[in-house]
Amino acid sequence: MRTPTNERVASDIVDAGGKASEGQNIASGSQEGYAKSASKPESKSGHRGGGSGKSKNRRRNANKGKEAPERRCILTGDHAGQDELLRLAISPDGDVLPDPSAKAPGRGAWITLDKAALEAAMANGQLKGALARGFKGVKLSYSDDLPQQIESALRKSLMDRLGLELRAGQLVLGSGRIEDQARAGTLHMLLHASDSSEDGRKKLDQAWRVGREAEGTGERGEVLPLDRAALSVALGRENVVHLALRGASGADRMRRALSRLMAFSGAVMAGCGGSTKRSTDGADQPRPNDIEEYTKD
């Protein structure tokens, strides 16, 4: 079969060393793409595939400064970074499914994060034609609710990111604790549930501006496309209405996950819910007591 044009920009096949990536959203029973690494011979150092752990670290560090590979949207032909597009993975049975983590094995195609454009492409046959040209000879099928599947997958990715940041000790929960740390200027991102009260948001937004020395600018936290019930489920806590991130790196990861979901749904981020400024006071280090107290709006 011929590899589609957009797949030639950068290799799309992931060799994950025998393990599927966490958060993978592909409903496929095949793991053939991950089986190859199991056959690699062990080196004298005991590592599969040869090379020591130090040499692997050197290779990893050497790649840090490189630009992320670009992909090509099969609908518009535009090239963009991986964060600006979404991968559609092709299962062994020919099902087209969302792969927001872009780590599912096998072949795939990339589309722009635009729900309205995708719905239009499905209605006028553009998506079907683009997939047929890219995967000649392969019988493909996708559900009529593919846009909703993608939105649900991106929402799940956002909730998974929240859970990971909680386990990493990067989240601050509880209105009182958030207000204190916001005024102290130690927070890098402020978030509110979609059903949080206006008074509760205004109070924390004011504290946020004070800590950032941005009074009078109108800066405010981001209102998430998740209500308090969804946040409580994602974090395994009760009545999660407001939350914040202490570390700059965690805030950056959270912002990427949130912006992808909001871009696809057509929502606009406030753009004031976080800072990319790196802290030098150890703010990226978790504080055990940051998640113990909760207060209602």
Short mmCIF file of all heavy atoms in Angstrom, two decimals, residues 2 5 32 72 78 107 116-117 119 123 130 134 136 143 164 182 228 232 240 258 264 279:
data_model
loop_
_atom_site.label_atom_id
_atom_site.label_comp_id
_atom_site.label_asym_id
_atom_site.label_seq_id
_atom_site.Cartn_x
_atom_site.Cartn_y
_atom_site.Cartn_z
N ARG A 2 0.46 2.33 -0.61
CA ARG A 2 1.25 3.54 -0.68
C ARG A 2 1.01 4.41 0.54
O ARG A 2 -0.12 4.64 0.93
CB ARG A 2 0.88 4.32 -1.94
CG ARG A 2 1.73 5.56 -2.17
CD ARG A 2 1.46 6.14 -3.54
NE ARG A 2 0.10 6.67 -3.58
CZ ARG A 2 -0.22 7.88 -3.21
NH1 ARG A 2 0.68 8.69 -2.74
NH2 ARG A 2 -1.48 8.29 -3.30
N THR A 5 0.75 11.17 1.49
CA THR A 5 1.71 12.26 1.45
C THR A 5 2.00 12.83 2.83
O THR A 5 3.12 13.12 3.18
CB THR A 5 1.17 13.38 0.53
OG1 THR A 5 0.88 12.81 -0.74
CG2 THR A 5 2.21 14.49 0.38
N GLU A 32 0.78 -5.34 17.05
CA GLU A 32 1.90 -5.78 16.23
C GLU A 32 2.98 -4.73 16.14
O GLU A 32 4.16 -5.04 16.02
CB GLU A 32 1.39 -6.14 14.84
CG GLU A 32 0.43 -7.34 14.85
CD GLU A 32 -0.12 -7.60 13.46
OE1 GLU A 32 0.26 -6.86 12.53
OE2 GLU A 32 -0.89 -8.55 13.31
N ARG A 72 1.13 17.20 7.89
CA ARG A 72 0.32 17.82 6.85
C ARG A 72 -1.14 17.42 6.99
O ARG A 72 -1.47 16.24 7.08
CB ARG A 72 0.83 17.39 5.47
CG ARG A 72 0.03 17.96 4.29
CD ARG A 72 0.66 17.51 2.99
NE ARG A 72 -0.11 17.97 1.84
CZ ARG A 72 -1.14 17.32 1.32
NH1 ARG A 72 -1.53 16.16 1.85
NH2 ARG A 72 -1.79 17.80 0.28
N ASP A 78 -2.26 22.14 4.59
CA ASP A 78 -1.36 22.98 5.39
C ASP A 78 -0.47 22.12 6.28
O ASP A 78 -0.89 21.06 6.77
CB ASP A 78 -2.15 23.96 6.25
CG ASP A 78 -2.94 24.96 5.41
OD1 ASP A 78 -2.52 25.21 4.26
OD2 ASP A 78 -3.96 25.47 5.91
N ARG A 107 -0.49 3.04 10.68
CA ARG A 107 -0.62 4.21 9.82
C ARG A 107 -1.69 5.16 10.33
O ARG A 107 -2.56 4.78 11.12
CB ARG A 107 -0.94 3.76 8.40
CG ARG A 107 0.05 2.77 7.82
CD ARG A 107 -0.42 2.17 6.53
NE ARG A 107 -0.46 3.15 5.46
CZ ARG A 107 -0.99 2.90 4.27
NH1 ARG A 107 -1.55 1.74 4.01
NH2 ARG A 107 -0.99 3.83 3.33
N ALA A 116 -15.90 22.29 13.12
CA ALA A 116 -16.81 22.73 12.07
C ALA A 116 -16.28 22.34 10.69
O ALA A 116 -17.04 21.90 9.82
CB ALA A 116 -17.02 24.24 12.17
N ALA A 117 -14.97 22.51 10.48
CA ALA A 117 -14.39 22.16 9.19
C ALA A 117 -14.47 20.65 8.94
O ALA A 117 -14.70 20.21 7.81
CB ALA A 117 -12.93 22.62 9.13
N GLU A 119 -16.77 18.59 10.17
CA GLU A 119 -18.17 18.26 9.88
C GLU A 119 -18.52 18.60 8.43
O GLU A 119 -19.23 17.85 7.75
CB GLU A 119 -19.08 19.01 10.85
CG GLU A 119 -18.99 18.48 12.29
CD GLU A 119 -19.77 19.33 13.27
OE1 GLU A 119 -20.04 20.51 12.96
OE2 GLU A 119 -20.10 18.83 14.36
N ALA A 123 -19.59 16.07 5.38
CA ALA A 123 -20.86 16.26 4.68
C ALA A 123 -20.68 16.32 3.17
O ALA A 123 -21.52 15.80 2.41
CB ALA A 123 -21.53 17.55 5.18
N ALA A 130 -10.18 12.27 0.69
CA ALA A 130 -8.80 12.44 1.12
C ALA A 130 -8.24 11.14 1.69
O ALA A 130 -7.10 10.78 1.43
CB ALA A 130 -8.73 13.56 2.17
N GLY A 134 -5.20 8.78 0.09
CA GLY A 134 -4.03 8.51 0.91
C GLY A 134 -3.81 7.04 1.19
O GLY A 134 -2.68 6.60 1.40
N LYS A 136 -4.91 4.10 -0.75
CA LYS A 136 -5.50 3.37 -1.87
C LYS A 136 -5.47 1.86 -1.62
O LYS A 136 -4.48 1.31 -1.15
CB LYS A 136 -4.73 3.70 -3.15
CG LYS A 136 -4.95 5.12 -3.64
CD LYS A 136 -4.23 5.37 -4.95
CE LYS A 136 -4.49 6.79 -5.46
NZ LYS A 136 -3.79 7.06 -6.74
N SER A 143 -17.21 6.54 11.80
CA SER A 143 -18.55 6.76 12.33
C SER A 143 -19.05 8.15 11.96
O SER A 143 -18.27 9.09 11.80
CB SER A 143 -18.55 6.57 13.85
OG SER A 143 -19.80 6.93 14.40
N LEU A 164 -2.49 13.39 36.09
CA LEU A 164 -1.03 13.26 36.13
C LEU A 164 -0.39 14.40 36.92
O LEU A 164 0.55 14.19 37.69
CB LEU A 164 -0.48 13.23 34.70
CG LEU A 164 -0.78 11.97 33.89
CD1 LEU A 164 -0.37 12.17 32.43
CD2 LEU A 164 -0.06 10.76 34.48
N ALA A 182 -1.94 32.54 45.37
CA ALA A 182 -2.07 33.47 44.25
C ALA A 182 -1.57 34.85 44.66
O ALA A 182 -0.84 35.52 43.91
CB ALA A 182 -3.52 33.54 43.79
N ARG A 228 -17.76 20.89 37.77
CA ARG A 228 -17.14 20.39 39.01
C ARG A 228 -17.29 18.88 39.16
O ARG A 228 -16.42 18.23 39.75
CB ARG A 228 -17.74 21.11 40.21
CG ARG A 228 -19.19 20.82 40.51
CD ARG A 228 -19.69 21.66 41.68
NE ARG A 228 -19.78 23.06 41.33
CZ ARG A 228 -19.90 24.05 42.23
NH1 ARG A 228 -19.90 23.76 43.52
NH2 ARG A 228 -20.01 25.30 41.85
N SER A 232 -14.09 16.51 39.65
CA SER A 232 -14.03 15.65 40.83
C SER A 232 -13.73 14.21 40.44
O SER A 232 -12.96 13.51 41.11
CB SER A 232 -15.35 15.73 41.61
OG SER A 232 -15.59 17.06 42.06
N VAL A 240 -14.50 19.65 43.47
CA VAL A 240 -13.38 20.42 42.92
C VAL A 240 -13.95 21.52 42.03
O VAL A 240 -14.50 21.24 40.97
CB VAL A 240 -12.42 19.52 42.11
CG1 VAL A 240 -11.28 20.35 41.55
CG2 VAL A 240 -11.89 18.39 42.99
N LEU A 258 -5.39 21.80 27.16
CA LEU A 258 -6.61 22.61 27.17
C LEU A 258 -6.80 23.32 25.83
O LEU A 258 -7.92 23.36 25.29
CB LEU A 258 -6.54 23.63 28.31
CG LEU A 258 -7.69 24.64 28.42
CD1 LEU A 258 -9.02 23.92 28.59
CD2 LEU A 258 -7.45 25.60 29.57
N PHE A 264 -10.47 22.77 18.96
CA PHE A 264 -11.34 21.89 18.18
C PHE A 264 -12.80 22.28 18.33
O PHE A 264 -13.56 22.26 17.35
CB PHE A 264 -11.14 20.44 18.61
CG PHE A 264 -11.95 19.46 17.80
CD1 PHE A 264 -11.58 19.13 16.50
CD2 PHE A 264 -13.09 18.87 18.33
CE1 PHE A 264 -12.33 18.24 15.75
CE2 PHE A 264 -13.84 17.98 17.58
CZ PHE A 264 -13.46 17.66 16.29
N SER A 279 9.97 29.58 37.11
CA SER A 279 10.25 30.03 38.47
C SER A 279 11.65 29.61 38.88
O SER A 279 12.20 28.65 38.40
CB SER A 279 9.23 29.42 39.43
OG SER A 279 9.38 28.02 39.47
#
